[in-house]
Amino acid sequence: MKLRSRWIMRLAACLGATTIRAWMGTVRHRVISADQRRHPTDPAVERFIYAFWHESLLAPAKIKTRVKVLVSQSADGEFIALVCKHLGIGVVRGSTTRGGAKGLLDLLREGRDAHLAITPDGPRGPRRQVKPGVAFLASHTGLPVVPVGVGFTRAWRAGSWDRFAIPHPFSTLVGVLGEPIAVPVGLDAGALETHRRRIEQAMLAATEAAETCADQLSRRGPHDNPLACPPLNPVLKRSA
């Protein structure tokens, strides 16, 4: 029965990845970066840790770059990991609740030729609250953290703890990337907590900016540029 269940999970993951690829292929996207760089960068030139909320897990399906994602060791995480692999997204298993230390160490080791991606409020929340792992990871890798906010012009929301977002077909996804945040090496627990709060504030500001932009895009008339966003610097600067 165990083998049958795993076979079913693999089949479901394959079908799920195919559906996600087709579904997200209908979704337009607009990415705005506060540092004016094009993201994601070529990891052979410059690497980052991209931090985004667990509710936005479908967003990386729009990104074509080498990335390693930390995925929970739970049963749900196994399915997500299989889907990610079918989508061409690298996976490291672990979380802050199960296998967290090993997962972070694996990211340190395996992420030498790719960007790292982490959902710092996963796998069980609380929603939109950053856990300490991302500051620890940034300190030990020397990679800056790019806070990512995601907004949707139209999306269904699940009843789960993270209110998981599924964008409507032919809607627009807005990604806002804040200024990269460097975390020095050799920090004690108190200093890491300071940077954890800084990252959380920056992610909340980027999310507010993305959702504001998405809301304004959804109100545009037929003759307006559907991907033109208002100036976002005032919102992003609140996290500085």
Side-chain angles (χ1 to χ4, degrees), residues 170-225:
F170 308 105
S171 62
T172 299
L173 177 157
V174 178
V176 173
L177 290 74
E179 293 278 357
I181 299 173
V183 180
V185 300
L187 298 182
D188 60 19
L192 283 175
E193 171 61 16
T194 297
H195 284 279
R196 183 205 68 78
R197 291 197 301 267
R198 182 184 173 200
I199 293 167
E200 181 176 280
Q201 186 178 12
M203 289 185 66
L204 289 171
T207 301
E208 180 186 352
E211 291 181 339
T212 297
C213 178
D215 181 64
Q216 294 198 18
L217 290 181
S218 68
R219 300 170 187 270
R220 294 290 175 91
H223 301 296
D224 293 320
N225 184 343

Side-chain angles (χ1 to χ4, degrees), residues 1 20 35 38 46 49 77 87 89 91-92 110 118-119 178 183 201:
M1 185 66 182
I20 289 171
D35 61 6
R38 182 174 180 177
E46 188 173 18
I49 299 171
L87 292 172
I89 300 172
V91 171
V92 175
E110 296 186 20
I118 189 169
T119 55
V183 180
Q201 186 178 12

Side-chain angles (χ1 to χ4, degrees), residues 23-46:
W23 190 286
M24 294 302 291
T26 72
V27 177
R28 296 177 297 189
H29 68 285
R30 173 82 163 92
V31 178
I32 307 162
S33 60
D35 61 6
Q36 305 302 311
R37 279 182 283 192
R38 182 174 180 177
H39 286 271
T41 62
D42 180 352
V45 177
E46 188 173 18

Side-chain angles (χ1 to χ4, degrees), residues 53-209:
W53 300 126
H54 195 271
E55 66 200 70
S56 306
L57 271 173
L58 289 180
K62 299 294 294 185
I63 299 173
K64 305 298 182 184
T65 189
R66 294 195 299 277
V67 62
K68 296 279 187 178
V69 181
L70 182 64
V71 176
S72 168
Q73 290 181 334
S74 65
D76 289 344
E78 175 69 14
F79 179 74
I80 293 172
L82 290 171
V83 171
C84 285
K85 289 177 181 178
H86 283 295
L87 292 172
I89 300 172
V91 171
V92 175
R93 303 301 303 280
S95 72
T96 54
T97 55
R98 297 181 62 187
K102 180 181 181 302
L104 291 174
L105 290 173
D106 286 344
L107 274 177
L108 293 177
R109 182 179 65 254
E110 296 186 20
R112 294 172 183 168
D113 61 347
H115 295 297
L116 305 180
I118 189 169
T119 55
D121 61 340
R124 295 191 179 94
R127 182 182 186 234
R128 296 187 179 181
Q129 292 186 25
V130 170
K131 295 177 182 175
V134 63
F136 173 87
L137 183 63
S139 178
H140 281 72
T141 59
L143 300 180
V145 177
V146 175
V148 180
V150 178
F152 303 94
T153 54
R154 298 186 308 279
W156 291 289
R157 290 281 180 173
S160 54
W161 66 266
D162 60 350
R163 298 191 63 218
F164 191 84
I166 303 174
H168 290 193
F170 308 105
S171 62
T172 299
L173 177 157
V174 178
V176 173
L177 290 74
E179 293 278 357
I181 299 173
V183 180
V185 300
L187 298 182
D188 60 19
L192 283 175
E193 171 61 16
T194 297
H195 284 279
R196 183 205 68 78
R197 291 197 301 267
R198 182 184 173 200
I199 293 167
E200 181 176 280
Q201 186 178 12
M203 289 185 66
L204 289 171
T207 301
E208 180 186 352

